[in-house]
Amino acid sequence: MEEIHDPQPQSSLGQDEESEVIAESSAFVKGEPAQEFISNPPKVDSEVAVLHEKVSKQIIKEGHGQKPSKYSTCFFHYRAWSESTQHKFEDTWQEQRPIEMVLGKEKKEMTGLGIGVASMKAGERALFRVGWELGYGKEGSFSFPNVPPMADLVYEVELIGFDETKEGKARSDMTVEERIGTADRRKMDGNALYQEEKLEEAMQQYEMAIAYMGDDFMFQLFGKYRDMALAVKNPCHLNMAACLIKLNRYEEAVGQCSIVLGEDENNVKALFRRGKARAALGQTDAAREDFEKARKNAPQDKAIARELRLLAEHDKAVYQKQKEIYKGIFGPRPQPVPESRNWLILIWQWLLSVFHRLFTLFKRGSPKSD
């Protein structure tokens, strides 16, 4: 497949963005999760593994790499529901502090989930059944999430990845510089994986990088620190969009680009990639609007001009196709058919004409009376 390069970004976020993934064609961090993740409970045929007398596991999707140690900080998506009450709640993004803190030392209601996550590999997706004793207990929870009392829970979990924190230092305990630096290393690891065409693994790295710069963290930043964070965060969203486009997950790619445009409405790369994704979804008017805005900020860029030309050709092809369809429905315009004429009538008309002419001549030649 021919690769289409992005336009050169017109960015004020520093030179580091030049090392960003350049590509055309997930998972999610904020916003709407992937449709498959929020659908009804999945049907799982894999064997049941008993991790604890109150925790069982079934694998939905095999993972790769290593399992987290008890000192790891894990990043995962999950949703949960109570089969007995049909009560459902979900959290599209979760950071789990070092696992040893979860296993009975800190958030007791997370113990069953902690036992389950500790058994997973990065990239794995699994279904856990947790007894209420290791869930939210006899009282349940009346805040967020709202969980009924004594509710046995089912968790659907996807482990994005984890960080080893041997000193027990969680993300929330890091300084601004440490969080940005860790996120940047994750971004570079993602870029390396992308170059190897390991798109899913690359997106996991980008997601974990973005997790270090959540909304609560960004809200506290201003000036140079906010610029430093955006110089890492925005490229991660854009690189995820590049992966998602290659994987034909266009709606998710649109979401990633829109996050960047919420911070920088004139970001050329975000406009370009969102235009590509929208065009693939058949949203040609919206795609054209993105490309036109991108061209306004980068008028000499050939890639943008090419995409606009492709849209124009697409519109022309659609018009011709519609024209053919309408022609087939209504048929060609009927042509006038000459009336057939009877030869006897024609002869009779000729004889009448001759008789009339002879009569006229005879009348003129007769002498006039006095």
Side-chain angles (χ1 to χ4, degrees), residues 95-307:
E95 173 202 3
Q96 181 174 317
R97 293 173 69 97
I99 290 174
E100 66 164 358
M101 297 183 184
V102 177
L103 301 181
K105 291 189 177 182
E106 200 169 77
K107 296 182 179 179
K108 187 176 180 180
E109 68 272 13
M110 299 284 284
T111 303
L113 181 59
I115 292 171
V117 171
S119 72
M120 300 177 75
K121 294 180 180 181
E124 183 178 320
R125 189 174 166 198
L127 202 67
F128 299 106
R129 284 179 167 80
V130 178
W132 63 266
E133 297 88 345
L134 298 183
Y136 285 81
K138 186 180 294 186
E139 293 78 17
S141 174
F142 294 96
S143 59
F144 178 82
N146 188 309
V147 183
M150 299 180 67
D152 294 335
L153 298 174
V154 180
Y155 288 96
E156 184 181 350
V157 183
E158 181 180 3
L159 179 61
I160 304 305
F162 55 87
D163 277 339
E164 296 293 346
T165 53
K166 293 182 179 179
E167 71 281 6
K169 195 171 187 179
R171 179 182 61 167
S172 57
D173 299 327
M174 293 181 176
T175 65
V176 171
E177 290 87 351
E178 286 174 333
R179 287 178 73 157
I180 295 174
T182 303
D184 189 54
R185 288 192 293 274
R186 286 288 185 186
K187 186 194 80 171
M188 299 304 292
D189 290 344
N191 290 356
L193 288 166
Y194 179 88
Q195 296 299 330
E196 298 174 10
E197 292 294 322
K198 297 178 179 178
L199 302 180
E200 295 285 355
E201 292 91 332
M203 287 195 296
Q204 289 169 0
Q205 296 299 319
Y206 297 139
E207 282 193 286
M208 286 189 285
I210 294 167
Y212 281 99
M213 294 169 289
D215 292 341
D216 55 339
F217 175 69
M218 295 298 295
F219 184 75
Q220 303 172 45
L221 301 182
F222 57 91
K224 71 172 185 177
Y225 288 112
R226 185 172 180 82
D227 290 343
M228 288 169 58
L230 287 175
V232 177
K233 184 174 183 287
N234 283 349
C236 286
H237 286 297
L238 292 172
N239 293 351
M240 283 189 66
C243 293
L244 290 165
I245 290 172
K246 276 200 165 188
L247 293 169
N248 300 329
R249 292 160 61 177
Y250 302 114
E251 291 183 359
E252 294 172 79
V254 169
Q256 294 296 325
C257 294
S258 296
I259 292 172
V260 176
L261 292 168
E263 293 283 353
D264 177 11
E265 64 178 358
N266 294 316
N267 187 291
V268 173
K269 188 164 288 187
L271 288 166
F272 183 79
R273 289 186 177 170
R274 190 172 72 173
K276 289 278 291 181
R278 283 175 164 175
L281 289 169
Q283 301 169 2
T284 53
D285 290 340
R288 186 179 294 102
E289 184 179 340
D290 281 339
F291 289 136
E292 291 286 1
K293 191 171 182 179
R295 184 167 65 175
K296 186 181 295 185
N297 291 281
Q300 303 301 320
D301 195 279
K302 294 181 180 179
I304 298 172
R306 179 177 183 273
E307 293 303 322

